[in-house]
Amino acid sequence: MRKELRRRVLEQLAPLVLAGVAMAAWAAWLGWDQHRDVHADGSETGPYGAWQVIGLGLTLLAPVYWAASRQHIAAAVLGTTTGLTAAAYYDWSDDATGLFMIGVSMVAIGSLLATATLSLVIASRKRKAGPGRTRHGWNSNPE
């Protein structure tokens, strides 16, 4: 009974926790960089460097893996996507051109597809390994 209650609470909190983690990761990696870089030829890049976006993606691998390996696929996908989309909306909503919604939509679609694919791969590999086993041997902490 107690284990079932714990599982239900975790199922309810997981999407909220993942959304919060995604928003915090966005703030840590991308939220502080708001200026564009102007090069000598007059072209502009930014405001984010590739290393920042890669860092954000790598940071989010751990919480997505955690949720997907426990078969909380919907939480991994929807929580992470919601958090990233909300962070992008908040970060970019002061854009005077109104084109920020295209970028926010691209973040939503891209994070949805990436987290769904990753979560399904992780969950299927964990399922193949069986309960209490990993691909390479016995798991000392089966859940």
Side-chain angles (χ1 to χ4, degrees):
M1 176 69 175
R2 188 167 216 159
K3 197 169 195 168
E4 180 63 29
L5 178 62
R6 188 175 129 212
R7 178 153 176 81
R8 280 192 163 158
V9 168
L10 188 60
E11 285 175 357
Q12 299 298 317
L13 289 178
L16 296 174
V17 170
L18 285 162
V21 167
M23 286 189 280
W26 180 286
W29 284 101
L30 306 177
W32 55 270
D33 194 356
Q34 300 297 320
H35 71 282
R36 294 190 170 274
D37 298 323
V38 180
H39 300 285
D41 63 358
S43 64
E44 293 182 5
T45 59
Y48 314 122
W51 66 273
Q52 291 170 283
V53 178
I54 292 168
L56 173 63
L58 291 175
T59 301
L60 292 175
L61 281 176
V64 169
Y65 178 83
W66 175 85
S69 66
R70 285 158 178 75
Q71 304 302 315
H72 299 299
I73 297 171
V77 174
L78 297 177
T80 305
T81 300
T82 300
L84 289 176
T85 304
Y89 183 88
Y90 178 80
D91 197 14
W92 299 340
S93 63
D94 61 350
D95 177 40
T97 66
L99 295 175
F100 77 96
M101 279 308 296
I102 294 172
V104 171
S105 299
M106 291 173 71
V107 167
I109 292 167
S111 61
L112 180 72
L113 293 174
T115 55
T117 302
L118 182 63
S119 296
L120 290 172
V121 167
I122 291 167
S124 69
R125 291 185 62 91
K126 285 295 230 180
R127 217 176 291 124
K128 282 182 186 176
R133 288 189 54 90
T134 63
R135 265 189 45 180
H136 304 292
W138 287 99
N139 185 357
S140 62
N141 187 14
E143 283 192 278

